[in-house]
Amino acid sequence: MSKRTVFTTVTALPAGITRQSVLETLHDHMAMIDLNPLVERWHSIKPSADATPEEYHCRWYQMTDKVNYLPLGLYSGRVTYKTCFHNLADGLQTHVYAPLGLSIKERWTVGGSLPGEPIKAVELGLGLPMSGLWLREDVTLKCSIFATKFVRKNLTKAHARLVDRLLVKSQLADSGGYDAQMWTQRFYLPLNLPTSPEIQLPIFSRELIDIDPGLQPREDWRQRHNMASQVRRYQAGGSARQPLPSAVTISTGSSPSLSRMPATPRP
């Protein structure tokens, strides 16, 4: 026997967060999936064979959640399901198709008014703020009557963390620090050479060509990165090793080491 449950959650947005930054995150499906603490892995898929004509033209993803069935993680499992995403002018719609007939329809909406904008009448009974922006989540849950309480509890808890992460992401985006922070986390990773575990070298990608010129690495960093790459190729080259540049030396042991780089004046 299945039961249909409808509930709404409203979160007031802190001052300083713009409507556009929240909408950009809602319309970024990969970001929304990654912000969900339950999702372990996901990938894009073709529309489901039993999709409705409207949902057939949505974006479809297959996701796997880790679900704790007992407190403190004493017993947990993984659930794989399909979800479709549909962007709206003021938010996002999703529809989850999970095993055992579980269906979750959600609508995320950004509403409210900023200072200087006309104040609109708000719906009664939901606790919507009279001024300022808010994020509203409307959920229609359909599943077994015995699983309704468990599913709703886990969904509410997970989406509360999702919203917290979304707000921080929006604050960073509005302050201009999000892209720089993500760029730093992505490219400045520790590189531990066998004989020099204390050396920390940045790792760069070809995607640097798309990064703002103000964030480009200094030339001396590029030189160190190029040297580290040549050391790796020397280690893996065997008998076909290419000669190393003069700034890179090989110690008497089996592990390479880097000599001191010539000082490069700061720009």
Side-chain angles (χ1 to χ4, degrees):
M1 180 183 298
S2 62
K3 178 182 178 181
R4 182 175 179 268
T5 305
V6 179
F7 60 95
T8 298
T9 304
V10 178
T11 303
L13 302 184
I17 292 183
T18 63
R19 182 184 288 104
Q20 184 61 29
S21 65
V22 179
L23 283 175
E24 287 177 356
T25 302
L26 293 178
H27 291 168
D28 186 347
H29 304 164
M30 292 182 289
M32 289 295 292
I33 295 172
D34 289 338
L35 292 175
N36 190 330
L38 296 179
V39 177
E40 285 194 330
R41 56 183 180 269
W42 62 271
H43 62 273
S44 180
I45 61 173
K46 294 181 179 180
S48 177
D50 55 352
T52 65
E54 290 181 331
E55 292 182 346
Y56 181 84
H57 299 282
C58 297
R59 296 296 301 273
W60 286 78
Y61 304 89
Q62 179 170 295
M63 292 177 271
T64 299
D65 286 4
K66 182 179 180 181
V67 181
N68 292 321
Y69 298 106
L70 293 178
L72 304 177
L74 297 177
Y75 178 67
S76 62
R78 287 166 177 77
V79 179
T80 299
Y81 55 93
K82 299 177 181 179
T83 308
C84 65
F85 284 67
H86 175 61
N87 292 342
L88 300 171
D90 60 351
L92 172 71
Q93 274 186 303
T94 65
H95 189 179
V96 172
Y97 292 86
L100 302 179
L102 171 60
S103 171
I104 305 175
K105 293 183 178 181
E106 296 179 290
R107 173 166 180 168
W108 299 82
T109 308
V110 181
S113 56
L114 293 171
E117 297 179 347
I119 298 179
K120 301 178 181 179
V122 298
E123 186 175 345
L124 301 178
L126 296 177
L128 296 173
M130 296 296 295
S131 61
L133 298 179
W134 41 261
L135 178 64
R136 172 175 172 173
E137 179 189 9
D138 295 296
V139 180
T140 301
L141 170 66
K142 184 179 180 182
C143 66
S144 168
I145 190 173
F146 303 105
T148 299
K149 183 177 180 180
F150 174 80
V151 173
R152 177 173 178 175
K153 178 182 176 181
N154 278 271
L155 182 68
T156 303
K157 182 179 179 181
H159 283 195
R161 293 183 60 189
L162 185 156
V163 170
D164 289 342
R165 295 174 177 180
L166 185 152
L167 296 182
V168 173
K169 180 179 182 299
S170 298
Q171 287 176 324
L172 290 172
D174 287 331
S175 65
Y178 180 75
D179 291 338
Q181 177 175 332
M182 294 303 295
W183 182 85
T184 301
Q185 293 176 357
R186 184 170 186 178
F187 296 107
Y188 284 79
L189 305 176
L191 171 64
N192 296 329
L193 297 179
T195 59
S196 304
E198 74 283 356
I199 295 180
Q200 301 290 315
L201 296 176
I203 299 176
F204 302 108
S205 165
R206 294 180 181 177
E207 296 182 15
L208 284 174
I209 59 176
D210 298 326
I211 295 177
D212 186 277
L215 296 176
Q216 294 290 342
R218 297 203 313 267
E219 186 61 29
D220 57 338
W221 290 344
R222 292 182 185 274
Q223 293 176 7
R224 289 191 179 98
H225 169 62
N226 293 336
M227 284 191 173
S229 299
Q230 294 185 51
V231 170
R232 294 193 194 96
R233 288 197 296 269
Y234 186 90
Q235 287 180 291
S239 59
R241 290 175 175 172
Q242 299 294 325
L244 293 172
S246 57
V248 179
T249 60
I250 299 298
S251 62
T252 56
S254 59
S255 300
S257 61
L258 296 180
S259 66
R260 183 177 298 276
M261 287 288 299
T264 302
R266 293 179 179 268

